Amino acid sequence: MTVPAASPAPAEPPSGERDAALVAAARSGDRGAFASLYERYARVVHAVLLSAGVKAEAEDLTQEVFVSAMRSLSSLKDPAAFGGWLLTSARNRAASFLRHKAAAPPLRLVGEAAPTTTTREGLNAEDVMSAIRSLPEAYRDTLVLRLVEGLTGPEIADRTGLTHGSVRVNLHRGMDMLRAKLAEVNP
Amino acid sequence: MNADYLWDRSGPVDEHIADLERVLAGHAFTGRVPAELMREPRRLPWRDRAIIAAGVLLVLASLTRYWIVRTPLVPRAPISWTIASSTGTYTAETPGPTKSPGGHETGQWVETSAGASVRLEALSGGIVTLNADTRALMVDMGNTTQRLELAHGSIYTEPSKSDTPIEVVTPVGIATIAPGTACLITYDKLKNGSVEVKRGRIEFRTQGPDTQVTRFGAGSTATIAFGRLYTPRRGDASPELIAALTAYESPPPPGAHRLGWTDIPPSVLQAAGTADEITLWNLMHRTDEDGRKRIIGRARELTKSMWKLDNDALLRLDDGAMETWWQMLESR
């Protein structure tokens, strides 16, 4: 497979300016503005947490990251950099969570296991996620956003601040590597 | 792999990607906006806010009243000077109709009687002795300046640990006495007296629009006669210089410049030797430009290092040039 050449980014809406306006409104107490930021970034935060290795707790942690961000919004120096600031916070939260989880004894689930969906090759979601998590960070974050959260390439670029070209490359190289990993799991 | 489908789901469906999307869909985020984020900040009702504001005002009013009650209407007695010790008898009085009931503090006139003396200490450490038949006012200048007003009599300053100058207001000008100076200033009721500096430095400045500077270094002295401070000279100046200065300055010649005696006679300059630079330096402030030219000429004859100084700057009495000259003569 050949990777398509990175095309010049089309005219994008100024996401930084939009974020800055929402942050300013949220700082002044506008809860609707913060809800807009949440709608815009919740799936990205969730993807970062999943990609880092957080599993069932990812949704709760996503909400924790936002609550924490709302409380410390006044410390954000550049409101236009809200996205990067939030994702850094999510990565730190994931690392902290995984450290504590590793130290705690694992919980045993009791009861009947729910039926799982598998690929045509018989791989379940956890198999695929494990393969994705074994990829380099740039590829795994982009793939989770695309395959799990359902964002398109332009949406990923808009939320993460990457160029369209970078997202395209991450998607194609990530998919190639994922195919190879899955083939190793289920030859 | 269908690149368009991978990019934005356009074009023909890529079966493999669609299969992965289907399996992973269960992991997608489904959460709603947390209620905590949507909750409006808690605000106190108006009634509660009014009660709190009233409470704050009440506390402020109480504090203000306490401050007013505690603050005396009469300013506290300043403490720049204190009487450390005394011999003989002296009186201390507060100017105005109210007499001090006891103790001696800044703001009071101190007057010593015959044979008495009073030793004053400044807050900053300066020490001044009021000798017999002296009347002086202890002036409050905080702890940055120590000031006395000398009406008449004799005061002696001695070197102390203080690094703050002492100012003595005298009828012939304000004397700034540098730290570490030992000197004696006398000024009697007939307006005669003297200044003697054993060590250190004193500078007198007359008050008014035309300030005259008279500076004393270690070992220098000057006479005060008829309310006028004469030119300083070495304490051991030659009889020729003393005679020439006396003839020149006393009594003032008719039509003399009001700040001094403009026409410096050749006898004074010729009598000045290499050790008499203090006299030449002070004469510069007491004459006109022609006189200054002749003084500088004589100083160059006596001291070769004078070439280092800017002639024009000296002629116009430039502060920097005159200070440099002073430091040079002090170091010799």
Side-chain angles (χ1 to χ4, degrees):
Chain A
M1 185 184 73
T2 57
V3 176
S7 58
E12 297 175 355
S15 58
E17 287 181 19
R18 187 172 46 194
D19 285 354
L22 289 172
V23 167
R27 277 176 172 169
S28 64
D30 181 348
R31 290 291 184 260
F34 203 87
S36 297
L37 289 168
Y38 183 85
E39 298 288 354
R40 184 168 153 71
Y41 283 103
R43 285 189 290 172
V44 185
V45 169
H46 187 254
V48 166
L49 294 168
L50 281 181
S51 162
V54 179
K55 296 175 184 172
E57 305 86 353
E59 294 220 352
D60 289 343
L61 285 189
T62 298
Q63 300 207 346
E64 282 182 27
V65 167
F66 272 91
V67 170
S68 171
M70 184 184 71
R71 288 176 181 156
S72 54
L73 201 56
S74 58
S75 67
L76 176 60
K77 290 178 182 172
D78 179 10
F82 175 80
W85 176 73
L86 187 69
L87 296 189
T88 301
S89 174
R91 289 191 179 93
N92 292 339
R93 185 71 188 89
S96 169
F97 173 80
L98 293 172
R99 267 200 308 274
H100 284 90
K101 190 178 181 187
L107 293 174
R108 294 185 65 181
L109 293 174
V110 178
E112 193 177 343
T116 56
T117 309
T118 60
T119 63
R120 283 175 297 185
E121 292 82 16
L123 298 171
N124 63 28
E126 199 47 52
D127 294 332
V128 179
M129 283 304 299
S130 294
I132 291 175
R133 287 182 186 121
S134 68
L135 302 180
E137 184 178 285
Y139 301 148
R140 71 180 187 230
D141 284 356
T142 311
L143 281 183
V144 171
L145 283 166
R146 173 66 187 82
L147 300 176
V148 179
E149 305 296 348
L151 270 64
T152 65
E155 288 171 335
I156 296 169
D158 179 55
R159 306 301 199 272
T160 60
L162 295 172
T163 63
H164 283 207
S166 291
V167 174
R168 237 180 237 281
V169 169
N170 288 350
L171 284 174
H172 281 85
R173 289 187 182 163
M175 274 305 297
D176 284 345
M177 294 172 79
L178 180 61
R179 277 181 202 274
K181 289 279 182 186
L182 293 177
E184 288 173 15
V185 175
N186 190 15
Chain B
M1 183 168 62
N2 186 332
D4 288 339
Y5 186 81
L6 179 61
W7 177 242
D8 58 3
R9 291 198 200 88
S10 62
V13 174
D14 184 305
E15 292 299 332
H16 180 65
I17 296 172
D19 196 26
L20 292 174
E21 287 179 315
R22 182 179 53 80
V23 170
L24 293 172
H27 282 66
F29 182 67
T30 57
R32 292 179 173 276
V33 180
E36 187 172 348
L37 293 182
M38 295 309 294
R39 198 178 299 136
E40 287 298 318
R42 185 168 170 267
R43 294 191 179 205
L44 290 172
W46 281 107
R47 184 172 151 275
D48 292 352
R49 287 195 231 177
I51 291 171
I52 290 172
V56 170
L57 283 175
L58 189 65
V59 169
L60 284 176
S62 301
L63 288 174
T64 305
R65 183 175 178 280
Y66 175 78
W67 179 77
I68 290 171
V69 168
R70 292 280 298 176
T71 305
L73 294 176
V74 180
R76 282 183 195 168
I79 54 169
S80 288
W81 292 98
T82 55
I83 295 177
S85 61
S86 63
T87 58
T89 57
Y90 72 92
T91 58
E93 64 184 54
T94 303
T98 306
K99 298 292 182 186
S100 175
H104 309 300
E105 295 167 327
T106 302
Q108 291 183 320
W109 283 99
V110 177
E111 187 158 9
T112 57
S113 54
S117 69
V118 167
R119 184 180 162 95
L120 303 176
E121 282 188 10
L123 182 65
S124 55
I127 300 170
V128 176
T129 300
L130 307 185
N131 293 323
D133 294 323
T134 297
R135 179 175 169 82
L137 177 67
M138 300 184 287
V139 182
D140 177 36
M141 299 290 286
N143 58 1
T144 55
T145 305
Q146 311 157 63
R147 177 175 282 188
L148 287 176
E149 285 186 26
L150 176 64
H152 62 78
S154 164
I155 66 169
Y156 176 72
T157 69
E158 60 186 88
S160 68
K161 292 178 181 176
S162 171
D163 56 0
T164 305
I166 295 173
E167 282 186 0
V168 180
V169 181
T170 73
V172 295
I174 297 177
T176 302
I177 303 171
T181 297
C183 72
L184 180 68
I185 300 173
T186 60
Y187 187 87
D188 64 21
K189 293 176 181 173
L190 300 175
K191 301 184 180 179
N192 298 319
S194 64
V195 177
E196 294 175 43
V197 179
K198 292 180 181 172
R199 55 180 282 196
R201 179 200 288 193
I202 302 180
E203 183 172 284
F204 279 80
R205 284 181 179 266
T206 57
Q207 294 172 294
D210 296 316
T211 300
Q212 185 182 46
V213 176
T214 304
R215 193 179 280 187
F216 295 78
S220 58
T221 183
T223 300
I224 298 173
F226 312 110
R228 182 186 288 269
L229 179 60
Y230 283 31
T231 306
R233 58 174 174 78
R234 281 187 300 133
D236 57 353
S238 66
E240 291 79 12
L241 180 64
I242 294 173
L245 279 174
T246 303
Y248 165 53
E249 292 185 314
S250 180
H257 188 278
R258 68 189 184 93
L259 293 178
W261 296 259
T262 59
D263 190 15
I264 306 290
S267 59
V268 172
L269 298 181
Q270 286 305 314
T274 53
D276 296 313
E277 274 186 275
I278 285 179
T279 299
L280 296 178
W281 190 94
N282 279 289
L283 284 172
M284 289 283 286
H285 292 87
R286 294 165 176 258
T287 186
D288 56 15
E289 189 169 333
D290 285 341
R292 289 198 284 273
K293 279 182 186 172
R294 290 190 290 118
I295 294 169
I296 294 169
R298 179 59 177 156
R300 289 188 192 285
E301 289 174 5
L302 296 170
T303 312
K304 290 183 178 165
S305 58
M306 284 292 289
W307 65 268
K308 296 177 183 174
L309 300 173
D310 182 348
N311 204 59
D312 291 338
L314 290 176
L315 281 176
R316 63 173 184 272
L317 290 178
D318 176 78
D319 286 343
M322 292 300 289
E323 183 60 36
T324 305
W325 184 7
W326 181 268
Q327 288 174 8
M328 285 168 56
L329 72 87
E330 243 183 355
S331 66
R332 280 193 277 273

